[in-house]
Amino acid sequence: MKNRGYTFLILVISWTCFVIGCSLTAAYLNVSSQYQSQTQSTETVQAMQVQEQAEKTAETGADDLRFASVMHFMESYYQNLKEGNRTQLMKMVEDPDSFYSDSDLRKIKAYVESYQNFEYYIEDTLEKQSYIVFTFYQTKLYDVDTLVPGMSQYYIVKDDDQWMIYNNTEHLSETAQKELKSSLRLRKIKQLIEETNAKYKKAIESDESLKEYFEGQK
C-alpha cells in the first residue's frame, strides 16, 4: 500500500468569541468524524485489495510451479530420447507399444547430438491435471553446424504425482481429442507453426550438409 501523508487542519478557537468558537468546534468535530470514517473505509478497501493481490500472486505462483514441473519433465523426456534411454522413456509415456521402436531410438541416438533452446506454449484443458504442451526446440545433429528448428504437440496428464505423455491419442477421451485438434487452430499456435516451418526451410537451404542429411532419411 502506498503511504499517504495526511494534513490535519488545526482550528484555533478564539475565547473572545465563544459562540463562533463553539460553532467552529462543532464543525471540526463533524469533519473529524467524517474523516475518520473515510479513513477506516479507505483502509478496509486497501486491505481487501492487498488480500486479493496476495491471492492472485499465490495462484500465479502455483501456476508457475506447475509449468516449471511440466517444462522440467519435457526436457528430461528429450534428454532420454537423445540418449536412447528406453527404460526411462517407457515410464514417461502412456502407451509403450505405440512408442518409438528400438531401432528408431538407436537412430536418434546416432544422429542427434542434443536438443537445445526449448520454448513452450502450455494450454489448459477441461480435464483435471492435464495440459496440451507445444514444445519448440532446436536439434543439433552430429557433424552439422546448423541447428534444426522443430516443434511437437503433446497431451500430458499428471498421474500419482508423475507426468505422463499420452502418445496414443486414441486412448484419450473424446473431449481431449477435440481439444488437441482445436488447439492447432489457435492464432498464436498457427503463427508459431508458420514461423518454425519458415526457420526449418531456411536452415535446410542454408546448409548443404543438412540438406543431404534429410535427403538421405527419405
Side-chain angles (χ1 to χ4, degrees):
M1 291 188 301
K2 295 181 180 179
N3 293 323
R4 295 184 177 180
Y6 295 101
T7 303
F8 293 91
L9 176 62
I10 302 175
L11 301 179
V12 180
I13 304 172
S14 174
W15 288 97
T16 59
C17 188
F18 180 75
V19 175
I20 296 175
C22 288
S23 298
L24 290 173
T25 301
Y28 169 77
L29 292 175
N30 182 50
V31 170
S32 178
S33 176
Q34 291 178 358
Y35 169 79
Q36 289 178 1
S37 177
Q38 291 174 353
T39 300
Q40 291 174 352
S41 177
T42 300
E43 291 177 348
T44 299
V45 171
Q46 291 174 334
M48 291 175 65
Q49 291 175 339
V50 169
Q51 179 64 26
E52 289 175 359
Q53 184 60 43
E55 291 174 356
K56 289 181 180 178
T57 301
E59 290 175 0
T60 302
D63 283 341
D64 288 344
L65 289 174
R66 283 195 296 271
F67 291 162
S69 175
V70 168
M71 291 185 287
H72 176 73
F73 170 77
M74 293 308 308
E75 290 181 23
S76 295
Y77 168 78
Y78 277 95
Q79 180 65 22
N80 286 316
L81 191 62
K82 190 267 299 185
E83 295 173 355
N85 191 337
R86 189 172 185 81
T87 300
Q88 290 300 318
L89 288 167
M90 292 304 96
K91 299 176 182 179
M92 306 178 85
V93 297
E94 182 270 338
D95 186 4
D97 294 334
S98 299
F99 196 60
Y100 292 110
S101 65
D102 288 334
S103 61
D104 289 334
L105 289 176
R106 284 195 294 270
K107 286 181 180 179
I108 293 173
K109 184 177 180 180
Y111 290 109
V112 176
E113 182 176 343
S114 65
Y115 294 103
Q116 306 175 15
N117 304 322
F118 289 95
E119 293 183 10
Y120 302 92
Y121 186 92
I122 302 174
E123 185 76 13
D124 287 317
T125 71
L126 295 175
E127 298 187 349
K128 186 178 180 181
Q129 295 279 44
S130 301
Y131 294 102
I132 295 171
V133 181
F134 288 90
T135 304
F136 299 85
Y137 52 88
Q138 292 178 307
T139 304
K140 172 66 174 68
L141 301 172
Y142 286 109
D143 301 322
V144 178
D145 294 331
T146 302
L147 298 177
V148 186
M151 64 142 304
S152 297
Q153 179 196 40
Y154 300 94
Y155 192 97
I156 68 170
V157 178
K158 197 167 191 180
D159 184 25
D160 293 333
D161 293 328
Q162 174 65 44
W163 291 110
M164 184 79 65
I165 295 173
Y166 268 67
N167 57 308
N168 187 342
T169 56
E170 293 181 0
H171 292 181
L172 290 170
S173 67
E174 184 177 347
T175 298
Q177 291 184 43
K178 288 181 179 179
E179 286 186 295
L180 269 175
K181 292 179 181 178
S182 63
S183 67
L184 291 169
R185 295 194 294 270
L186 293 172
R187 180 181 300 178
K188 179 64 175 178
I189 294 303
K190 290 174 70 175
Q191 178 184 346
L192 290 172
I193 291 174
E194 289 175 0
E195 291 175 356
T196 302
N197 286 337
K199 290 178 182 177
Y200 172 82
K201 184 178 180 180
K202 183 178 180 180
I204 298 296
E205 293 175 347
S206 67
D207 193 322
E208 189 64 28
S209 60
L210 189 60
K211 184 178 180 180
E212 291 176 358
Y213 167 83
F214 281 104
E215 287 179 348
Q217 299 303 307
K218 293 180 180 179

